[in-house]
Structures are given as C-alpha cells and as structure tokens.
Amino acid sequence: MRFLFVHGTGVRRDRHDTLFALVRERLTARFPGAAVDSCFWGERFGAGLGSGGRSVPGLRAAATADAADAETAEWGLLLADPLCELRVLAEAGWETGGPEHDAPDDPFAMPGVQPAGTRVLDLLHRLAETPDDPHGELRALLRGTGLAPGFRPALEAAAGSAEAARAGDRATAEPQARELATALARAVTAGALATAGADADCTAAERDRLVELLTTRLGGGARVPGARAAAFLGRLALRVSTQPLLDAWRGSLTVGATPALGDILRYQARGTELRAFLHARITAEPGPTVLIGHSLGGIALVDLLALEAATGGPVPGAELLVTVGSQAPYLYELGALTALPPGSALPYGFPRWLNVYDRQDVLSYLAGPVFPGDPRVTDHEIRSRQPFPASHSAYWKQKSLYERIERAVTEAGIG
C-alpha cells in the first residue's frame, strides 16, 4: 500500500518539506509497512508574476496622500460609522480655555436666547419631521442620486442619537454650532449613502452639495477651518485609509498572496498540466494507492479521478481519495469543476471518497450533501479549535485525522 500526498495552494519547497515531514511521520507510525510519497507541484505548476508585478498600481512607485485621498478616506470612515464625527464632538467637546469652561452653560448668553448647539438640534428635529425642500433642489438631488429611501431614516437616526444630544449640549458658541451643523449634515449624508449601498448613484460633487444644503438648513455655513472633529477624523483617516495604505493592501492581496490565490486561478486556466503530472505520479508505482489532497490538491484529484473514470476508466491503483480542507464540493455546486457539471453524479470507477472538513475552516466544504445517496462519499468533521486561517492548516497534527484515515483504509479493504 502506498500513500501519495498532494499539497494545496500557495505551498512552495520549504513549506512543503516541513508539512510533508509531519504527514509522513504520522502516517508511517500508523501504517508501518506503507510507502508514503509526496507529489510536490508548487514550483513547477504554481503561479508567479511573470512581469514582476508591473500590473499592480502603486507597487513600484511610492505613493503620497493628497487632499483627495484624505477626503476619500474620511468618507470611508463615515460610511462605516455615520455618527463617528459626532461621537468625537460628544466625547471631546471643544477646547475653550479649560475644563471649567467646557460646559453647556454660556456665562455670556443673553437671557431668553437659545444656546447655539440647542438651536442647531432644534433645526435638525424640524428637518426630520418635515424633510421636504421648499425650493426643490434637495428633493431632486436625493431622487437623482438614489439616496431618497434612506434619507429620512438617516435624519431620524442622527436627530435621535445620544451623540448629537451630547455634542449639542457642548456647543456653546457660534463657531461650535457651525461645526456641529456640518458634522450633522455629514452624518445624515453618510447614513443615506450607507443605506443605499451599491444602489447609490452619487458623485462626490453631489454628495458635497447635499452636505452643503443640509448644513445651510441647520444654520451653518462653510466648514469651520481647524474644526476639532474634522481634524481628528482627518488624522484618523490618513492613518487607516489613504492611498499609500490602499496600495500596500493591493500589493499584499496581489503580490503577497500570489502563490495562494494565483495557484487557484492558474489551475482554473491551465489545470490540464497539473492533472497530467498527478496521473503520472499515481501510476508510477504498482499497488493500491491512497490519495491525500489538501485544499487545491483535493480539487485537482477530484477533477482527475472524475475525468479519467468518465472517459478512460479508473486511474490505475487509486483505491481511496482523502480530501482535507478542500473546496471541490463548493466548486462542483458552482459549476467550476472541470470534470463534473453541477447536478451530475460521480462516474462509475470513481474511488471511495473521504472528505475531511473543519467548520472553523472557511475553505472546507461538505461533499456528502451535494452527492446525495452515493455510498462512496463520506464527510468527517475535525475540530482543531483554531480560528481561520490557522484552521486551514491545523488538520495535520490532529490525531483524529489519522484515525479516520485508518478506518477508511480498512473499510476500503486496502492492505
């Protein structure tokens, strides 16, 4: 009996040698007389960037943030949390000479005159009650951008928020009230945009005009230079969302993740070469072979065994397939498996199939439910208690994995 281990996506020589040493040790201890071989394909059939990543914007030239980047970053934060700017004002207030002065009471306020912040909040509540624009521009803008359905809920959310009430209490002077009006207008606009999501058809200029109209309705004017919340939000945005960081993310997702993601994409386009290589390795030795495929290795094995069984008969010697953390069942449902159209049965001659998964591993899927009634297919759950992505590689130190493989070997009558 022979075991043939087929590694998964993103694995190169160093990682393969470490992983296979572990798998070989555990299998040899449980099956002393068996040969344990590996099918290392990563460097020969894996993906690489042929032009050195020249297709990735910002990878080679150091990008610097400009005003447009910072503004985009600010709105990214607002879309994630429309009240974040108000929260800054509610918590930090305004610096007015010391804590003893940072209070809702204005000692210079004239009797009977509303505090500045209270007046802005009253206007916001009135707007929430009757949001229609008597001049029509606001209404037309909301309809033209797809923001109309979410506008009233966004108004009500801002008006009823504890953040707005607290910030209003702390706005005791006119400059503070103007900043509060702008922050409320941005919160409402961000809330409407967030509700619309992908259905929004709103340019940056239309967004800014909406903020301007709302700010005017709330008694504010132009954005206050040096405004406290705006400065804080701008600094935070610059740290987490500016163009240099986006370029870094793009680099990590494309260049840094090229072996993992690229191997999958390359297999989808040029899987024939890898399947031919696997076939040659499987048939190179006589006798029953247990195939163990991790992740993409399992996908390639399912494709190979199904194609051969459907066209030329079973792959000689392949008696048992073990897939571990594999996406083959999911790709089958999508219609993305080369050998098996969705809804088709496993062909005659396909071997017994043990599919091992971990619910914490988001890249593992169930095979049994998508091939109902096929006695050859069995799912087995492993619980590594590891979060993803560690769970995707945590199978190989689990004693229960090798116990279940041993049981499958016995059930298949392989000796």
Side-chain angles (χ1 to χ4, degrees), residues 109-331:
M110 297 182 63
V113 177
Q114 272 189 326
T118 302
R119 187 187 70 250
V120 174
L121 291 180
D122 284 349
L123 290 170
L124 178 65
H125 283 286
R126 291 179 200 170
L127 185 59
E129 293 169 1
T130 56
D132 288 338
D133 181 4
H135 302 292
E137 184 181 359
L138 177 61
R139 182 169 58 251
L141 185 59
L142 291 171
R143 289 177 178 174
T145 56
L147 302 186
F151 180 61
R152 182 184 286 274
L155 267 175
E156 294 172 348
S161 68
E163 290 86 350
R166 176 68 172 148
D169 285 343
R170 308 190 83 171
T172 61
E174 285 303 319
Q176 299 165 358
R178 291 199 298 273
E179 181 179 357
L180 175 61
T182 302
L184 287 168
R186 282 156 61 89
V188 172
T189 302
L193 281 165
T195 299
D199 292 332
D201 185 19
C202 184
T203 66
E206 290 171 326
R207 177 200 67 204
D208 294 344
R209 179 56 179 162
L210 179 56
V211 171
E212 184 180 349
L213 290 172
L214 291 174
T215 301
T216 301
R217 295 283 291 272
L218 296 177
R223 188 168 178 178
V224 182
R228 184 170 179 136
F232 178 87
L233 189 68
R235 289 194 300 270
L236 180 60
L238 283 170
R239 298 184 76 148
V240 302
S241 301
T242 53
Q243 191 63 48
L245 186 55
L246 291 176
D247 289 338
W249 283 346
R250 192 202 303 265
S252 66
L253 288 173
T254 53
V255 179
T258 289
L261 178 61
D263 285 358
I264 296 171
L265 297 176
R266 184 182 177 92
Y267 174 77
Q268 292 297 102
R270 295 183 171 84
T272 302
E273 300 169 347
L274 176 55
R275 289 192 295 271
F277 178 65
L278 293 176
H279 187 278
R281 292 288 286 114
I282 295 169
T283 58
E285 300 287 341
T289 300
V290 177
L291 302 170
I292 302 177
H294 181 221
S295 192
L296 179 57
I299 295 173
L301 286 171
V302 170
D303 263 341
L304 170 64
L305 295 170
L307 279 170
E308 292 294 311
T311 57
V315 176
E319 298 290 337
L320 173 65
L321 169 65
V322 181
T323 55
V324 179
S326 180
Q327 306 85 51
Y330 179 63
L331 294 183

Side-chain angles (χ1 to χ4, degrees), residues 1-4 27-28 30-37 285-292 317-320 322 405-415:
M1 178 175 63
R2 179 173 69 128
F3 290 90
L4 185 62
L27 287 174
T28 301
R30 196 166 288 272
F31 303 93
V36 182
D37 298 325
E285 300 287 341
T289 300
V290 177
L291 302 170
I292 302 177
E319 298 290 337
L320 173 65
V322 181
I405 291 175
E406 183 177 21
R407 178 179 158 192
V409 167
T410 300
E411 291 171 345
I414 304 172

Side-chain angles (χ1 to χ4, degrees), residues 43-56:
E43 290 180 359
R44 183 174 176 182
F45 300 104
L49 290 171
S51 299
R54 291 186 176 89
S55 63
V56 184

